Coordinates of all heavy atoms in Angstrom, one line a residue:
P251 N 57.0 26.7 29.9 CA 57.8 27.9 29.6 C 58.9 28.1 30.5 O 58.9 27.5 31.6 CB 56.8 29.0 29.7 CG 55.6 28.3 30.3 CD 55.7 26.9 30.3
S252 N 59.8 28.8 30.2 CA 61.0 29.2 31.0 C 61.1 30.7 31.0 O 61.3 31.3 30.0 CB 62.2 28.6 30.4 OG 61.9 27.8 29.3
P253 N 61.0 31.4 32.1 CA 60.8 32.9 32.2 C 62.0 33.8 32.4 O 63.1 33.5 32.7 CB 59.9 33.0 33.3 CG 60.2 31.8 34.1 CD 60.7 30.7 33.2
S254 N 61.6 35.2 32.5 CA 62.5 36.3 32.6 C 61.9 37.7 32.7 O 60.8 37.8 32.3 CB 63.6 36.4 31.6 OG 63.6 35.3 30.8
T255 N 62.7 38.9 33.1 CA 62.1 40.2 33.2 C 62.8 41.4 33.7 O 63.0 41.5 34.8 CB 60.9 40.2 34.2 OG1 60.4 38.9 34.3 CG2 59.9 41.2 33.9
P256 N 63.3 42.5 33.0 CA 63.5 43.8 33.6 C 62.3 44.7 33.4 O 61.3 44.3 33.1 CB 64.8 44.3 33.0 CG 65.0 43.4 31.9 CD 64.1 42.2 31.9
R257 N 62.6 46.0 33.6 CA 61.5 46.9 33.7 C 61.4 47.9 32.5 O 60.8 47.6 31.5 CB 61.5 47.7 35.0 CG 61.3 46.7 36.2 CD 59.9 46.1 36.1 NE 59.8 45.1 37.1 CZ 59.0 44.0 36.9 NH1 58.3 43.9 35.9 NH2 59.0 43.1 37.9
A258 N 62.0 49.0 32.6 CA 61.7 50.1 31.8 C 61.6 49.8 30.3 O 62.5 49.2 29.7 CB 62.9 51.2 31.9
P259 N 60.5 50.1 29.7 CA 60.3 49.9 28.3 C 61.3 50.6 27.4 O 61.8 51.6 27.8 CB 58.9 50.4 28.0 CG 58.2 50.5 29.3 CD 59.3 50.8 30.3
T260 N 61.6 50.0 26.2 CA 62.5 50.6 25.3 C 62.0 50.4 23.9 O 61.3 49.5 23.6 CB 63.9 50.0 25.5 OG1 64.8 50.5 24.6 CG2 63.9 48.5 25.3
N261 N 62.5 51.3 23.0 CA 62.0 51.2 21.7 C 62.8 50.2 20.8 O 62.5 49.9 19.7 CB 62.1 52.6 21.0 CG 61.1 53.5 21.6 OD1 60.0 53.1 22.0 ND2 61.4 54.8 21.7
T262 N 63.9 49.8 21.3 CA 64.7 48.8 20.6 C 65.0 47.6 21.5 O 65.1 47.7 22.7 CB 66.1 49.4 20.1 OG1 66.8 49.8 21.3 CG2 65.8 50.6 19.2
L263 N 65.1 46.4 20.8 CA 65.3 45.2 21.6 C 66.7 45.2 22.1 O 67.7 45.4 21.4 CB 65.1 44.0 20.7 CG 63.7 43.5 20.6 CD1 63.6 42.4 19.6 CD2 63.2 43.0 21.9
P264 N 66.9 44.9 23.4 CA 68.2 44.7 24.0 C 68.8 43.4 23.5 O 68.1 42.6 22.9 CB 67.9 44.6 25.5 CG 66.5 44.2 25.6 CD 65.8 44.7 24.4
Q265 N 70.1 43.2 23.8 CA 70.7 41.9 23.5 C 70.1 40.8 24.3 O 69.5 41.1 25.3 CB 72.2 42.0 23.8 CG 73.0 43.0 22.9 CD 72.9 42.6 21.4 OE1 73.1 41.4 21.1 NE2 72.5 43.5 20.5
P266 N 70.2 39.5 23.8 CA 69.6 38.4 24.6 C 70.1 38.5 26.0 O 71.2 38.8 26.3 CB 70.2 37.2 23.9 CG 70.4 37.7 22.5 CD 70.8 39.1 22.6
V267 N 69.2 38.2 26.9 CA 69.4 38.3 28.4 C 69.5 36.9 29.0 O 68.7 36.1 28.7 CB 68.3 39.1 29.0 CG1 68.6 39.2 30.5 CG2 68.2 40.5 28.4
R268 N 70.6 36.7 29.8 CA 70.7 35.4 30.5 C 69.7 35.3 31.6 O 69.3 36.4 32.2 CB 72.1 35.2 31.0 CG 73.2 35.3 30.0 CD 74.5 34.8 30.6 NE 74.9 35.5 31.8 CZ 75.5 36.7 31.9 NH1 75.8 37.3 30.8 NH2 75.7 37.2 33.0
R269 N 69.4 34.1 32.0 CA 68.4 34.0 33.1 C 68.8 34.7 34.4 O 68.0 35.4 35.0 CB 68.3 32.5 33.5 CG 67.4 31.7 32.5 CD 66.0 32.1 32.7 NE 65.3 31.4 31.6 CZ 64.7 32.0 30.6 NH1 64.8 33.3 30.6 NH2 64.1 31.4 29.7
D270 N 70.1 34.6 34.7 CA 70.5 35.2 36.0 C 70.4 36.7 35.9 O 70.1 37.4 36.9 CB 71.9 34.8 36.4 CG 72.9 35.0 35.3 OD1 72.5 35.1 34.1 OD2 74.1 35.0 35.6
D271 N 70.7 37.3 34.7 CA 70.6 38.8 34.6 C 69.2 39.2 34.7 O 68.8 40.3 35.2 CB 71.1 39.2 33.2 CG 72.6 39.0 33.1 OD1 73.3 39.1 34.1 OD2 73.1 38.8 31.9
N272 N 68.3 38.3 34.2 CA 66.9 38.8 34.0 C 66.1 38.7 35.3 O 65.2 39.5 35.5 CB 66.3 37.9 33.0 CG 65.4 38.7 32.0 OD1 65.6 39.9 32.0 ND2 64.6 38.0 31.2
F273 N 66.3 37.6 36.1 CA 65.4 37.4 37.2 C 66.1 37.6 38.6 O 65.5 38.1 39.5 CB 64.9 36.0 37.2 CG 63.6 36.0 36.5 CD1 63.1 34.7 36.0 CD2 62.9 37.1 36.2 CE1 61.9 34.7 35.4 CE2 61.7 37.0 35.5 CZ 61.2 35.8 35.1
A274 N 67.3 37.1 38.7 CA 67.9 36.9 40.1 C 68.1 38.2 40.8 O 67.9 38.2 42.0 CB 69.3 36.2 39.9
K275 N 68.4 39.3 40.1 CA 68.7 40.5 40.9 C 67.5 41.1 41.6 O 67.5 41.3 42.8 CB 69.3 41.5 39.9 CG 70.7 41.1 39.5 CD 71.3 42.2 38.5 CE 72.7 41.7 38.0 NZ 73.2 42.7 37.0
P276 N 66.4 41.3 40.9 CA 65.3 41.9 41.6 C 64.5 41.0 42.5 O 63.8 41.4 43.4 CB 64.4 42.4 40.4 CG 64.7 41.6 39.3 CD 66.1 41.1 39.4
R277 N 64.6 39.6 42.3 CA 63.8 38.7 43.1 C 64.6 37.6 43.6 O 64.3 36.4 43.2 CB 62.6 38.2 42.2 CG 61.9 39.4 41.5 CD 60.7 38.8 40.7 NE 60.0 39.8 40.1 CZ 60.1 40.2 38.8 NH1 61.0 39.5 38.1 NH2 59.4 41.1 38.3
L278 N 65.5 37.8 44.4 CA 66.5 36.8 44.8 C 65.8 35.6 45.6 O 66.2 34.5 45.3 CB 67.6 37.4 45.6 CG 68.7 36.5 46.0 CD1 69.4 35.9 44.7 CD2 69.8 37.2 46.8
P279 N 64.9 35.9 46.5 CA 64.4 34.7 47.3 C 63.9 33.6 46.5 O 64.2 32.4 46.6 CB 63.3 35.4 48.2 CG 63.8 36.8 48.3 CD 64.3 37.1 47.0
V280 N 63.0 33.9 45.5 CA 62.4 32.9 44.7 C 63.4 32.3 43.8 O 63.6 31.1 43.6 CB 61.2 33.4 43.9 CG1 60.7 32.3 42.9 CG2 60.0 33.7 44.8
E281 N 64.1 33.2 43.1 CA 65.1 32.7 42.1 C 66.2 31.9 42.6 O 66.8 31.0 42.0 CB 65.6 33.9 41.3 CG 64.7 34.3 40.2 CD 63.3 34.8 40.7 OE1 63.3 35.6 41.6 OE2 62.3 34.3 40.2
S282 N 66.7 32.2 43.9 CA 67.8 31.5 44.4 C 67.4 30.0 44.6 O 68.2 29.1 44.6 CB 68.2 32.1 45.7 OG 67.2 32.0 46.7
A283 N 66.1 29.8 44.9 CA 65.6 28.4 45.1 C 65.6 27.6 43.8 O 65.7 26.4 43.8 CB 64.3 28.4 45.8
I284 N 65.3 28.3 42.7 CA 65.1 27.5 41.5 C 66.2 28.0 40.4 O 66.0 27.8 39.2 CB 63.7 27.8 40.9 CG1 63.4 29.2 40.7 CG2 62.7 27.1 41.8 CD1 62.1 29.5 40.1
A285 N 67.3 28.5 40.9 CA 68.3 29.0 40.0 C 68.8 28.0 38.9 O 69.0 28.4 37.8 CB 69.5 29.6 40.8
P286 N 69.0 26.8 39.3 CA 69.5 25.8 38.2 C 68.6 25.7 37.0 O 69.0 25.8 35.9 CB 69.7 24.5 39.0 CG 69.9 24.9 40.4 CD 69.0 26.1 40.6
A287 N 67.3 25.6 37.3 CA 66.4 25.5 36.2 C 66.3 26.8 35.4 O 66.2 26.8 34.2 CB 65.0 25.1 36.7
L288 N 66.3 27.9 36.1 CA 66.3 29.2 35.4 C 67.5 29.4 34.6 O 67.5 29.9 33.4 CB 66.1 30.3 36.4 CG 64.8 30.4 37.1 CD1 64.8 31.5 38.1 CD2 63.6 30.6 36.1
Q289 N 68.6 29.0 35.1 CA 69.9 29.1 34.3 C 69.8 28.2 33.1 O 70.3 28.6 32.0 CB 71.1 28.5 35.2 CG 71.5 29.5 36.3 CD 72.4 30.6 35.7 OE1 72.8 30.6 34.5 NE2 72.9 31.5 36.5
Q290 N 69.2 27.1 33.2 CA 69.1 26.2 32.0 C 68.3 26.8 30.9 O 68.5 26.6 29.7 CB 68.5 24.9 32.4 CG 68.4 23.8 31.3 CD 67.9 22.5 31.8 OE1 67.7 22.3 32.9 NE2 67.5 21.7 30.8
G291 N 67.3 27.6 31.3 CA 66.6 28.4 30.3 C 65.3 27.7 29.8 O 64.4 28.4 29.4
R292 N 65.2 26.4 29.7 CA 64.0 25.8 29.3 C 64.0 24.4 29.8 O 65.0 23.8 29.9 CB 63.8 25.8 27.7 CG 64.9 25.1 27.0 CD 64.6 25.2 25.5 NE 64.5 26.6 25.0 CZ 63.5 27.1 24.4 NH1 62.4 26.3 24.1 NH2 63.5 28.3 24.0
P293 N 62.8 23.8 30.0 CA 62.7 22.5 30.5 C 63.3 21.5 29.6 O 63.3 21.6 28.4 CB 61.2 22.2 30.7 CG 60.6 23.6 30.7 CD 61.5 24.4 29.8
S294 N 64.0 20.4 30.1 CA 64.5 19.4 29.3 C 63.6 18.1 29.5 O 62.9 18.0 30.5 CB 65.9 19.1 29.7 OG 66.0 18.4 31.0
S295 N 63.7 17.2 28.6 CA 62.9 16.0 28.7 C 63.7 14.9 29.5 O 63.2 13.8 29.6 CB 62.6 15.5 27.3 OG 63.8 15.2 26.6
T296 N 64.8 15.3 30.0 CA 65.6 14.3 30.7 C 65.7 14.6 32.2 O 66.5 14.0 32.9 CB 67.0 14.2 30.1 OG1 67.6 15.5 30.2 CG2 67.0 13.8 28.7
A297 N 65.0 15.6 32.7 CA 65.0 15.9 34.1 C 64.5 14.8 34.9 O 63.8 13.9 34.4 CB 64.2 17.2 34.4
A298 N 64.8 14.8 36.2 CA 64.3 13.7 37.1 C 62.8 13.7 37.0 O 62.1 14.6 37.2 CB 64.8 14.0 38.6
Q299 N 62.3 12.5 36.8 CA 60.9 12.3 36.5 C 60.2 11.4 37.5 O 59.2 10.8 37.2 CB 60.7 11.7 35.1 CG 61.4 12.5 34.0 CD 60.9 13.9 33.8 OE1 59.7 14.1 34.1 NE2 61.7 14.7 33.3
R300 N 60.7 11.4 38.8 CA 60.1 10.5 39.7 C 58.8 10.9 40.2 O 58.7 12.0 40.9 CB 61.1 10.3 40.9 CG 60.8 9.1 41.7 CD 62.0 8.6 42.5 NE 62.3 9.5 43.6 CZ 63.5 10.1 43.7 NH1 64.5 9.9 42.8 NH2 63.8 11.0 44.7
L301 N 57.7 10.2 39.9 CA 56.4 10.5 40.3 C 55.9 9.4 41.1 O 55.3 8.4 40.6 CB 55.5 10.8 39.1 CG 55.8 12.1 38.3 CD1 54.9 12.2 37.1 CD2 55.7 13.3 39.1
D302 N 56.1 9.4 42.4 CA 55.7 8.4 43.3 C 54.4 8.8 44.1 O 54.5 9.7 44.9 CB 56.8 8.1 44.3 CG 56.5 6.9 45.2 OD1 55.3 6.5 45.2 OD2 57.4 6.5 46.0
A303 N 53.3 8.2 43.7 CA 52.0 8.7 44.3 C 52.0 8.5 45.8 O 51.2 9.1 46.5 CB 50.9 7.9 43.7
D304 N 52.8 7.6 46.4 CA 52.8 7.4 47.8 C 53.8 8.3 48.6 O 53.7 8.3 49.8 CB 53.2 5.9 48.1 CG 52.2 4.9 47.5 OD1 51.0 5.3 47.6 OD2 52.6 3.9 47.0
S305 N 54.6 9.0 47.8 CA 55.6 9.8 48.5 C 56.0 11.0 47.6 O 57.1 11.1 47.1 CB 56.9 9.0 48.9 OG 57.8 9.8 49.6
F306 N 55.1 11.9 47.4 CA 55.3 13.1 46.6 C 56.5 13.9 47.1 O 57.2 14.5 46.3 CB 54.1 14.0 46.5 CG 53.0 13.4 45.6 CD1 51.7 13.6 45.9 CD2 53.3 12.6 44.5 CE1 50.7 13.1 45.1 CE2 52.3 12.1 43.6 CZ 51.0 12.4 43.9
Q307 N 56.7 13.9 48.4 CA 57.8 14.7 48.9 C 59.2 14.2 48.6 O 60.2 14.8 48.8 CB 57.6 14.9 50.4 CG 56.6 16.0 50.8 CD 55.2 15.6 50.5 OE1 54.8 14.4 50.5 NE2 54.4 16.5 50.1
S308 N 59.2 12.9 48.1 CA 60.5 12.4 47.7 C 61.0 12.9 46.3 O 62.1 12.6 45.9 CB 60.4 10.8 47.7 OG 59.6 10.4 46.6
H309 N 60.1 13.6 45.6 CA 60.5 14.1 44.3 C 61.6 15.1 44.5 O 61.6 15.9 45.4 CB 59.3 14.8 43.7 CG 59.5 15.1 42.2 ND1 60.3 16.2 41.8 CD2 59.0 14.6 41.1 CE1 60.3 16.2 40.5 NE2 59.5 15.3 40.0
P310 N 62.7 15.0 43.6 CA 63.8 15.8 43.8 C 63.6 17.3 43.7 O 64.4 18.1 44.1 CB 64.8 15.3 42.7 CG 63.9 14.6 41.7 CD 62.8 14.0 42.5
E311 N 62.5 17.7 43.1 CA 62.2 19.1 43.0 C 61.3 19.7 44.1 O 61.1 20.9 44.2 CB 61.6 19.4 41.6 CG 62.6 19.2 40.5 CD 62.0 19.7 39.2 OE1 60.9 19.3 38.8 OE2 62.7 20.5 38.5
Y312 N 60.9 18.8 45.0 CA 60.1 19.3 46.1 C 60.8 20.3 47.0 O 60.1 21.4 47.3 CB 59.6 18.1 46.9 CG 59.0 18.5 48.2 CD1 57.7 19.1 48.3 CD2 59.6 18.2 49.5 CE1 57.1 19.5 49.5 CE2 59.0 18.6 50.7 CZ 57.8 19.2 50.7 OH 57.2 19.5 51.9
P313 N 62.0 20.2 47.4 CA 62.7 21.2 48.2 C 62.7 22.6 47.6 O 62.4 23.6 48.2 CB 64.1 20.6 48.4 CG 63.9 19.1 48.3 CD 62.9 19.0 47.2
A314 N 63.0 22.6 46.3 CA 63.0 23.9 45.6 C 61.6 24.5 45.6 O 61.5 25.7 45.8 CB 63.6 23.8 44.2
F315 N 60.6 23.7 45.3 CA 59.3 24.2 45.2 C 58.9 24.8 46.6 O 58.3 25.9 46.7 CB 58.3 23.0 44.8 CG 56.9 23.4 44.7 CD1 56.4 23.8 43.5 CD2 56.0 23.3 45.8 CE1 55.0 24.2 43.3 CE2 54.7 23.6 45.6 CZ 54.2 24.0 44.4
K316 N 59.2 24.0 47.7 CA 58.8 24.4 49.0 C 59.5 25.7 49.4 O 58.9 26.7 49.9 CB 59.1 23.3 50.0 CG 58.7 23.6 51.4 CD 58.9 22.4 52.4 CE 58.4 22.7 53.8 NZ 58.5 21.6 54.7
N317 N 60.8 25.8 49.1 CA 61.6 27.0 49.5 C 61.1 28.2 48.7 O 61.0 29.3 49.3 CB 63.1 26.8 49.2 CG 63.7 25.8 50.1 OD1 63.2 25.5 51.2 ND2 64.9 25.2 49.7
S318 N 60.7 28.0 47.5 CA 60.2 29.1 46.7 C 58.9 29.7 47.2 O 58.8 30.9 47.4 CB 60.0 28.6 45.2 OG 61.2 28.2 44.6
F319 N 58.0 28.8 47.5 CA 56.7 29.3 48.0 C 56.8 29.8 49.5 O 56.0 30.6 49.9 CB 55.6 28.3 47.8 CG 55.0 28.4 46.4 CD1 55.2 27.4 45.5 CD2 54.3 29.5 46.0 CE1 54.7 27.5 44.2 CE2 53.7 29.6 44.8 CZ 54.0 28.6 43.8
Q320 N 57.7 29.2 50.3 CA 57.9 29.7 51.6 C 58.4 31.2 51.5 O 58.0 32.0 52.3 CB 59.0 28.9 52.3 CG 58.5 27.6 52.9 CD 59.6 26.8 53.6 OE1 60.7 26.9 53.3 NE2 59.2 26.0 54.6
S321 N 59.2 31.5 50.5 CA 59.7 32.8 50.4 C 58.6 33.8 50.0 O 58.8 35.0 50.1 CB 60.8 32.9 49.3 OG 60.3 32.8 48.0
L322 N 57.5 33.3 49.5 CA 56.4 34.1 49.1 C 55.3 34.2 50.2 O 54.3 34.8 50.0 CB 55.7 33.5 47.8 CG 56.6 33.6 46.6 CD1 55.9 32.9 45.4 CD2 57.0 35.0 46.2
G323 N 55.6 33.5 51.3 CA 54.7 33.6 52.5 C 53.7 32.5 52.6 O 52.8 32.6 53.4
M324 N 53.7 31.5 51.8 CA 52.7 30.4 51.8 C 53.1 29.5 53.0 O 54.2 29.2 53.2 CB 52.7 29.6 50.5 CG 51.6 28.6 50.4 SD 51.6 27.7 48.8 CE 50.9 28.9 47.7
S325 N 52.0 29.0 53.7 CA 52.3 28.1 54.8 C 52.7 26.7 54.3 O 52.5 26.3 53.2 CB 50.9 27.9 55.6 OG 50.0 27.2 54.8
D326 N 53.4 26.0 55.2 CA 53.9 24.7 54.8 C 52.8 23.7 54.4 O 52.9 22.9 53.4 CB 54.7 24.1 55.9 CG 56.1 24.7 56.1 OD1 56.4 25.6 55.3 OD2 56.8 24.4 57.1
G327 N 51.7 23.8 55.1 CA 50.5 22.9 54.8 C 50.0 23.2 53.4 O 49.7 22.3 52.7
Q328 N 49.8 24.5 53.1 CA 49.3 24.9 51.8 C 50.3 24.5 50.7 O 49.9 24.1 49.6 CB 49.0 26.4 51.7 CG 48.3 26.8 50.5 CD 46.8 26.5 50.5 OE1 46.4 25.6 51.3 NE2 46.0 27.2 49.7
I329 N 51.6 24.6 51.0 CA 52.6 24.3 50.0 C 52.5 22.8 49.7 O 52.6 22.4 48.5 CB 54.0 24.6 50.5 CG1 54.2 26.1 50.6 CG2 55.1 24.0 49.7 CD1 55.5 26.6 51.3
D330 N 52.4 22.0 50.7 CA 52.3 20.5 50.5 C 51.1 20.1 49.7 O 51.1 19.3 48.8 CB 52.4 19.8 51.8 CG 53.8 19.7 52.4 OD1 54.7 20.1 51.7 OD2 53.9 19.3 53.6
K331 N 50.0 20.8 50.0 CA 48.7 20.5 49.3 C 48.9 20.9 47.8 O 48.5 20.1 46.9 CB 47.6 21.3 49.9 CG 47.1 20.8 51.2 CD 45.9 21.6 51.8 CE 45.5 21.1 53.1 NZ 44.4 22.0 53.7
T332 N 49.5 22.0 47.6 CA 49.7 22.5 46.2 C 50.7 21.6 45.4 O 50.4 21.2 44.3 CB 50.2 23.9 46.2 OG1 49.3 24.8 46.9 CG2 50.4 24.5 44.8
W333 N 51.7 21.2 46.1 CA 52.7 20.3 45.5 C 52.0 18.9 45.1 O 52.2 18.4 44.0 CB 53.9 20.0 46.4 CG 54.9 19.1 45.8 CD1 55.2 17.8 46.3 CD2 55.8 19.3 44.7 NE1 56.2 17.3 45.6 CE2 56.6 18.2 44.6 CE3 56.0 20.4 43.9 CZ2 57.6 18.0 43.6 CZ3 57.0 20.3 42.9 CH2 57.7 19.1 42.8
N334 N 51.3 18.4 46.1 CA 50.6 17.1 45.8 C 49.6 17.2 44.6 O 49.6 16.3 43.8 CB 49.9 16.6 47.1 CG 50.8 16.2 48.2 OD1 52.0 16.2 48.0 ND2 50.3 15.8 49.3
Q335 N 48.9 18.3 44.6 CA 47.9 18.5 43.5 C 48.7 18.6 42.2 O 48.2 18.2 41.1 CB 47.0 19.7 43.8 CG 46.0 19.5 44.9 CD 45.0 18.4 44.6 OE1 44.5 18.3 43.5 NE2 44.7 17.6 45.6
T336 N 49.8 19.3 42.2 CA 50.6 19.5 41.0 C 51.0 18.1 40.4 O 50.8 17.9 39.2 CB 51.8 20.3 41.3 OG1 51.4 21.6 41.7 CG2 52.7 20.5 40.0
L337 N 51.6 17.3 41.2 CA 52.0 16.0 40.7 C 50.9 15.1 40.4 O 50.9 14.3 39.4 CB 52.9 15.3 41.8 CG 54.2 16.1 42.1 CD1 55.2 15.2 42.9 CD2 54.9 16.5 40.8
K338 N 49.8 15.1 41.2 CA 48.6 14.3 40.8 C 48.1 14.8 39.4 O 47.6 14.0 38.6 CB 47.5 14.5 41.8 CG 47.8 13.7 43.1 CD 46.7 13.9 44.1 CE 46.9 13.2 45.4 NZ 45.9 13.4 46.4
G339 N 48.1 16.1 39.2 CA 47.7 16.6 37.9 C 48.5 16.2 36.8 O 48.0 15.8 35.7
V340 N 49.8 16.1 37.0 CA 50.8 15.6 35.9 C 50.5 14.1 35.6 O 50.4 13.7 34.5 CB 52.2 15.8 36.4 CG1 53.2 15.1 35.4 CG2 52.6 17.3 36.5
M341 N 50.3 13.4 36.7 CA 50.0 11.9 36.5 C 48.7 11.7 35.8 O 48.6 10.8 34.9 CB 50.0 11.2 37.9 CG 51.4 11.3 38.6 SD 51.3 10.7 40.3 CE 51.2 9.0 40.0
L342 N 47.6 12.5 36.1 CA 46.4 12.4 35.4 C 46.5 12.7 34.0 O 46.0 12.1 33.1 CB 45.3 13.3 36.1 CG 44.0 13.3 35.4 CD1 43.3 11.9 35.3 CD2 43.0 14.3 36.1
Q343 N 47.2 13.8 33.7 CA 47.4 14.3 32.3 C 48.2 13.2 31.5 O 47.9 13.0 30.3 CB 48.2 15.6 32.3 CG 47.8 16.5 31.1 CD 46.4 16.8 31.1 OE1 45.7 17.1 32.1 NE2 45.8 16.8 29.9
Q344 N 49.2 12.6 32.1 CA 49.9 11.5 31.4 C 49.0 10.3 31.1 O 49.1 9.7 30.1 CB 51.1 11.1 32.3 CG 52.2 12.1 32.3 CD 53.4 11.7 33.1 OE1 53.3 10.9 34.0 NE2 54.5 12.3 32.8
R345 N 48.1 10.0 32.1 CA 47.2 8.9 31.8 C 46.2 9.2 30.7 O 45.9 8.4 29.8 CB 46.3 8.6 33.1 CG 47.1 7.9 34.2 CD 46.2 7.2 35.2 NE 45.4 8.2 35.9 CZ 45.8 8.8 37.0 NH1 47.0 8.6 37.5 NH2 45.0 9.6 37.7

Side-chain angles (χ1 to χ4, degrees):
S252 352
S254 349
T255 335
R257 294 297 169 208
T260 177
N261 292 326
T262 58
L263 271 174
Q265 293 298 310
V267 179
R268 301 191 310 274
R269 280 287 175 252
D270 52 340
D271 289 335
N272 224 14
F273 269 165
K275 291 178 182 177
R277 309 183 178 99
L278 188 57
V280 171
E281 276 63 47
S282 62
I284 55 175
L288 290 176
Q289 284 278 0
Q290 183 177 347
R292 63 180 56 236
S294 73
S295 59
T296 58
Q299 307 296 335
R300 196 158 70 238
L301 293 176
D302 182 353
D304 296 323
S305 182
F306 284 146
Q307 279 68 35
S308 69
H309 190 285
E311 291 188 307
Y312 169 68
F315 183 90
K316 183 173 183 177
N317 290 342
S318 297
F319 276 109
Q320 280 179 332
S321 75
L322 297 175
M324 186 181 285
S325 70
D326 288 353
Q328 189 76 342
I329 290 171
D330 285 350
K331 288 179 182 178
T332 303
W333 178 249
N334 289 357
Q335 290 296 320
T336 299
L337 295 192
K338 286 179 179 178
V340 171
M341 296 171 75
L342 175 59
Q343 209 61 39
Q344 288 179 337
R345 287 198 296 273

